[in-house]
Amino acid sequence: MTAKPTLPFDRTQIQPGDRLSVAISGGADSVALLLTLHAARESLGIGLSAAHVHHGLRGEEADADQRFVEDLCIAHDIPLHLHQTSVPQRVSETRAAGDPETIEEAARNLRYDFFTTLLASGHADTILTAHTLDDQAETVLMKLLRGAWTEGLSAIHPVIVQQKGKILRPFLNTRRADIEAYLTQLNQPWRTDSTNTDTAYTRNKIRHELLPQLRTYNPNLDQTLANMAELAREEESRWQSELTRILPQLLLPGKPVRGGGRAVSTTPGQSAVSIELDRLRTLDPALRRRVLRAAARQLGARLTFDETSRLLALCGSRPDPTVAARTGTVLHLPSGLRADRSPRELRLYRDK
């Protein structure tokens, strides 16, 4: 008797008694993950369910995806959580609110809102998504092209801890080709999203055009990019630990007042934070950048590389012909963020 084929997956975050729910679209990756967990459920000692989101896109094709998932779960006696939503409505609402999301962003946010609901309601302890090594490589490259910082290059994390429960990606070291070969051996069909070939979407353009060209220079490029993501995660974790330690000592509320103490603005919607310039200059350059970005993030703003460089110039930490490093200089940065320099401090504030 021939043994059934198997796929390796990361079991390190899975414990006996866990209630796992696999996010399943009907595509090869998620079908393989669900069947892999189903085959291993007794040895792992887990409860297993599936979760499917109908995004209100692709009409009859999406309806057929849902029917496929329903039939697959019935055939294997796997409980299924279904969620109907509307990506077009979400896109319209975010555009009206002045913070527009792309179709891809809206779809992802709606999916993860549903996953969070499943965890919060106690229907599952853990959500598993079927992101692969290929997905990781595509994401790293996409982030790199967009000018991401280290946290962006960390790309898809294998574990995301939620307020309640967690999200796991146990296939991050598995290649898509191996997954499709596994399903072929099982004679198990899967659904193919027709939009996956549309190169109007950035990820598809990277997948079908850019990565194949780059692999001619490095056939092991996917693994190389995945390694970069792991290194970036480790680096970012180390820096975040350091920031957690020193930020309370560096960031000061409001403005200094004559006679000592500090005045915090009582203007509704306005918030501010200050940093002593002498203390900032004692830090190494990499940490200075991170402190400034962390300070801006506390005010709800995310700085680009160029914006951070302008702040460093305002502090006198690096030359910039467009910024005068002198008292009284005020920088107007995106997202309503402002920066002004006094003799002793850099003050960041934002009118919301």
Side-chain angles (χ1 to χ4, degrees), residues 147-349:
W149 296 72
T150 313
E151 65 267 30
L153 294 180
S154 65
I156 304 171
H157 288 219
V159 183
I160 299 178
V161 178
Q162 303 286 88
Q163 188 171 8
K164 187 173 182 182
K166 58 191 174 185
I167 295 173
L168 300 182
R169 281 72 180 258
F171 270 177
L172 267 187
N173 292 316
T174 304
R175 294 180 181 274
R176 189 175 294 132
D178 294 333
I179 286 172
E180 293 183 359
Y182 163 76
L183 293 177
T184 299
Q185 286 181 281
L186 290 179
N187 294 316
Q188 171 62 57
W190 63 85
R191 297 286 297 172
T192 300
D193 183 340
S194 61
T195 64
N196 285 345
T197 60
D198 185 353
T199 53
Y201 296 102
T202 302
R203 180 177 291 274
N204 290 342
K205 199 172 185 67
I206 288 172
R207 176 182 298 174
H208 298 297
E209 296 180 4
L210 183 56
L211 270 170
Q213 291 184 47
L214 293 177
R215 289 187 189 110
T216 64
Y217 295 92
N218 178 2
N220 201 36
L221 179 64
D222 297 72
Q223 186 63 60
T224 299
L225 292 170
N227 293 346
M228 182 186 295
E230 183 174 348
L231 290 172
R233 282 196 303 275
E234 293 173 353
E235 292 287 326
E236 192 61 25
S237 177
R238 170 65 182 85
W239 282 114
Q240 287 304 316
S241 296
E242 181 67 5
L243 283 173
T244 300
R245 184 183 69 82
I246 68 170
L247 278 180
Q249 308 165 38
L250 291 173
L251 302 188
L252 306 170
K255 290 182 176 181
V257 295
R258 186 173 298 175
R262 305 189 69 81
V264 179
S265 173
T266 58
T267 303
Q270 187 181 76
S271 53
V273 66
S274 299
I275 307 168
E276 289 185 9
L277 294 173
D278 285 345
R279 297 194 69 180
L280 185 66
R281 292 186 190 115
T282 65
L283 306 177
D284 65 70
L287 192 50
R288 275 181 230 155
R289 285 185 185 277
R290 291 174 181 275
V291 165
L292 291 175
R293 295 184 69 236
R297 195 176 295 121
Q298 287 196 8
L299 302 178
R302 300 186 71 87
L303 298 176
T304 66
F305 181 92
D306 289 340
E307 291 157 6
T308 309
S309 295
R310 295 182 73 198
L311 283 178
L312 287 168
L314 182 60
C315 298
S317 298
R318 64 173 292 162
D320 187 327
T322 68
V323 178
R326 61 173 180 262
T327 298
T329 301
V330 178
L331 283 181
H332 292 250
L333 298 172
S335 305
L337 190 68
R338 304 288 182 265
D340 63 46
R341 175 180 165 153
S342 70
R344 297 183 57 189
E345 294 181 357
L346 173 75
R347 177 171 173 261
L348 300 176
Y349 56 98

Side-chain angles (χ1 to χ4, degrees), residues 96-113:
D99 189 17
E101 295 176 348
T102 65
I103 289 176
E104 302 98 307
E105 289 168 342
R108 185 187 187 282
N109 289 334
L110 287 168
R111 278 197 305 278
Y112 279 82
D113 286 347

Side-chain angles (χ1 to χ4, degrees), residues 122-142:
H123 285 98
D125 304 310
T126 304
I127 303 292
L128 294 90
T129 70
H131 291 91
T132 65
L133 182 72
D134 305 66
D135 294 317
Q136 184 72 294
E138 293 162 8
T139 303
V140 173
L141 192 52
M142 185 162 56

